[in-house]
Amino acid sequence: MNSMPSDSASMSFVDRVVVPGDHVLDLTGMANQTIKLGAGLRQDGDAISVMKAGKLRISKPNKYWVESSHKRYVPCVEDTVLGIVVDSKFDNFLVDIKAPMLGLLPVLAFEGGTRRNIPKFEIGTLLYVRVVKANNTMNPELSCMDETGKAAEFGPLKDGYMFETSTGLARMLLSSPPCPILEALGKSLSYEIAIGLNGRVWVNAASPSTVILVSNAIMNSEFLSAAQQKIMVEKLMKRLQ
Amino acid sequence: MAPMEVDRADGRTSNQLRPLSCTRNVLHRAHGSARWSQGDTIVLAAVFGPKAGTKKEENPEKASIEVIWKPKTGLIGKVEKEYEMILKRTLQSVCLLTIHPNTTTSVIVQVVGDDDRPELSLIQLEVQMIIKNNSSIIRAFLALRITHVMGLRTPQLLPCAINASCAALADAGIPLKYLAVAICCGLTGSRSVILDPTKIEEKVFSYSCMLYLLVDYFNCLDRGYAACAKISEFLRRSMESQAPSDLTKTT
């Protein structure tokens, strides 16, 4: 009655789109091996099954994850995100990072932060922060310092314009080597950009028209290939002149 | 006793479904959305969440799902509340509720197209919600209801809504155990099974025929499973399209 295709290796699913419920790996033959599961996968008895729809990726030898792009963010440790201050308590700022729970930014998590020089953030301030603790059951904890305790570009972002995109586009913009769209725009325009892995992007430039141009170009580049992105930027530059 | 082949009003065979169409990511502000249509029955589902906080009577150790059903016309009444309850139970068994405890996911279902035909006298129909794991056919049975409807209710709205909500949940990235697909089966007076009935086909021939033979019931189930395999194939193909609001159609 069960007509499950026998997965001799999970290679049949790798780099292909999987939907929730697909059993991508059968663990019965892998007694002494360690497998690391990333986003979107869970262990379901003797098999690894998919929780989110997306592309299955593997990083040899034993890391599996599902790459998907959504409008909400699932917090992971060491991610850099853009948060908006929602409230301030005695020892925490409550920061919205597009996650299921609000993030907590300790009031002392700044370089040289003491009880005497607590920064005053108004509600609505945009912050570039790093996720320190991420657990599904607790509010994620954030920090405006890097591991060594330096400020390192974290903190409030002034001026500029923030827009929201999907997490997939944010990952593409942050990929190395640098994303073609950012390089192409940088050749002719000068702008400042901060990308949060939670799908928020902040752009600042000398003139508002540059800010608008860069933001629109980035928003339109989500589903274009590298060559198409370059062509789009060339067309935009031609129209400017 | 072999059931007869039935001549249906729109020319389909008894096993043939209406044309399916699924579009995901249609709404800009919703975290996940899908528009599912089977012939003239069109349902739009939007998902918001997970958002922090649960209601008082919900278990804070699990995520809770809230369903709001919006009919095409008219005020919200008991019928809508019943649909909400059934849909909520279905989605609760499909979602992994322990991943994000103490959060609420809202699913809003808007009926866009309702197969507008003249009213009928009596409908006697069995609506089956069938959950299938997409890669292996694990036959998990969720809910079985025998509906006696007078007049306005459209039984194939609920399967359409289940399909749309599942596609919307997958679009939003809510962790799911598997995708659910649903189909509506009708039992005609002559004891033959028709799949995916439209409103006009639901005429009962004798009101007294309220008892089902077990054989008929299992016959219905088998036909339903076979049709669900087709629908789940379609759903999987529609997941594979990457572009925003990409349209996948099939007949």
Side-chain angles (χ1 to χ4, degrees):
Chain A
M1 214 182 289
N2 270 357
S3 60
M4 178 159 146
S6 56
D7 273 319
S8 52
S10 68
M11 296 302 141
S12 55
F13 276 112
V14 172
D15 281 339
R16 277 179 45 197
V17 175
V18 288
V19 290
D22 282 347
H23 288 293
V24 295
L25 194 56
D26 196 15
L27 296 176
T28 48
M30 308 170 101
N32 287 335
Q33 301 174 29
T34 321
I35 302 197
K36 295 188 185 171
L37 298 180
L41 294 170
R42 67 178 179 122
Q43 182 174 5
D44 189 14
D46 253 347
I48 305 291
S49 88
V50 176
M51 285 197 294
K52 297 192 186 185
K55 261 201 187 151
L56 183 67
R57 296 265 183 233
I58 182 172
S59 161
K60 304 251 172 172
N62 57 357
K63 293 189 193 145
Y64 295 84
W65 73 96
V66 175
E67 214 171 66
S68 59
S69 172
H70 300 293
K71 289 186 187 163
R72 298 290 282 177
Y73 167 67
V74 175
C76 291
V77 186
E78 291 312 316
D79 276 357
T80 49
V81 295
L82 261 62
I84 297 181
V85 176
V86 170
D87 200 359
S88 60
K89 302 274 181 205
F90 177 65
D91 51 355
N92 281 324
F93 292 107
L94 296 180
V95 180
D96 162 48
I97 51 173
K98 287 174 74 172
M101 300 213 170
L102 283 179
L104 302 174
L105 173 62
V107 154
L108 301 175
F110 295 85
E111 183 177 6
T114 60
R115 271 273 144 204
R116 291 204 178 183
N117 54 356
I118 298 174
K120 291 190 182 64
F121 292 138
E122 287 181 0
I123 295 183
T125 313
L126 187 65
L127 300 172
Y128 185 61
V129 293
R130 179 177 71 97
V131 178
V132 172
K133 281 193 208 152
N135 207 323
N136 281 331
T137 47
M138 302 188 310
N139 295 60
E141 197 180 297
L142 312 167
S143 167
C144 271
M145 294 188 293
D146 62 9
E147 297 89 9
T148 59
K150 300 283 174 198
E153 313 287 338
F154 293 114
L157 297 167
K158 297 194 174 52
D159 304 326
Y161 169 64
M162 188 274 296
F163 59 94
E164 302 203 349
T165 66
S166 62
T167 51
L169 177 61
R171 277 198 307 266
M172 183 184 84
L173 292 172
L174 282 171
S175 59
S176 69
C179 181
I181 183 91
L182 295 177
E183 269 192 57
L185 286 169
K187 278 193 196 132
S188 16
L189 304 167
S190 100
Y191 62 95
E192 204 186 339
I193 190 169
I195 300 157
L197 278 162
N198 57 344
R200 287 200 176 125
V201 180
W202 173 86
V203 177
N204 192 13
S207 74
S209 53
T210 319
V211 172
I212 295 172
L213 189 91
V214 171
S215 316
N216 285 335
I218 291 175
M219 283 195 264
N220 288 334
S221 71
E222 181 161 6
F223 297 102
L224 301 179
S225 68
Q228 285 169 323
Q229 288 174 9
K230 287 189 191 135
I231 296 173
M232 176 181 78
V233 174
E234 279 168 19
K235 281 195 203 154
L236 284 174
M237 291 302 129
K238 270 194 212 147
R239 263 202 272 154
L240 269 195
Q241 272 122 27
Chain B
M1 175 171 21
M4 310 183 304
E5 282 298 313
V6 178
D7 280 329
R8 300 171 80 168
D10 49 3
R12 291 185 283 153
T13 65
S14 55
N15 269 346
Q16 196 177 352
L17 304 171
R18 288 173 295 172
L20 294 170
S21 159
C22 172
T23 324
R24 292 185 303 129
N25 206 7
V26 272
L27 299 173
H28 183 62
R29 301 201 74 155
H31 299 144
S33 53
R35 180 187 162 108
W36 182 280
S37 71
Q38 281 176 232
D40 279 334
T41 311
I42 308 174
V43 172
L44 180 63
V47 170
F48 289 90
K51 290 183 283 192
T54 46
K55 294 192 187 149
K56 269 191 247 179
E57 60 267 9
E58 304 278 352
N59 185 1
E61 307 249 340
K62 291 186 180 174
S64 73
I65 301 184
E66 175 197 12
V67 179
I68 300 173
W69 181 287
K70 298 194 180 227
K72 184 175 174 191
T73 53
L75 298 171
I76 298 188
K78 287 186 214 158
V79 174
E80 283 74 33
K81 293 285 175 209
E82 195 178 0
Y83 282 148
E84 284 176 15
M85 188 195 74
I86 299 175
L87 201 54
K88 178 174 166 169
R89 295 240 190 99
T90 314
L91 297 178
Q92 269 175 342
S93 69
V94 167
C95 293
L96 281 162
L97 296 175
T98 49
I99 303 273
H100 292 298
N102 205 17
T103 57
T104 308
T105 306
S106 311
V107 180
I108 295 144
V109 176
Q110 169 72 59
V111 177
V112 175
D114 198 6
D115 228 18
D116 276 324
R117 301 294 164 86
E119 289 180 24
L120 321 159
S121 52
L122 287 171
I123 304 177
Q124 173 181 333
L125 206 64
E126 186 170 328
V127 177
Q128 305 182 353
M129 269 59 86
I130 300 174
I131 293 193
K132 276 176 54 168
N133 179 313
N134 266 1
S135 66
S136 75
I137 309 179
I138 297 171
R139 295 173 177 188
F141 204 75
L142 175 69
L144 171 67
R145 288 174 65 239
I146 300 177
T147 322
H148 299 286
V149 179
M150 319 273 261
L152 298 164
R153 203 190 295 191
T154 323
Q156 75 273 17
L157 268 187
L158 202 45
C160 206
I162 290 178
N163 293 329
S165 331
C166 246
L169 284 174
D171 187 42
I174 312 282
L176 302 173
K177 281 184 217 160
Y178 28 69
L179 291 176
V181 288
I183 187 152
C184 185
C185 308
L187 202 59
T188 63
S190 49
R191 292 183 59 234
S192 60
V193 179
I194 53 171
L195 291 180
D196 206 11
T198 59
K199 215 169 175 180
I200 204 170
E201 284 177 332
E202 287 134 26
K203 293 177 195 154
V204 89
F205 297 94
S206 78
Y207 186 79
S208 60
C209 174
M210 277 163 56
L211 297 171
Y212 294 94
L213 294 182
L214 210 57
V215 147
D216 283 344
Y217 172 74
F218 284 120
N219 196 9
C220 244
L221 278 188
D222 286 333
R223 300 283 195 99
Y225 285 138
C228 277
K230 287 188 230 161
I231 301 188
S232 63
E233 262 314 302
F234 170 75
L235 191 52
R236 175 187 286 270
R237 265 188 290 135
S238 77
M239 293 281 162
E240 286 177 10
S241 53
Q242 297 284 347
S245 61
D246 200 50
L247 202 64
T248 39
K249 277 191 155 87
T250 190
T251 49

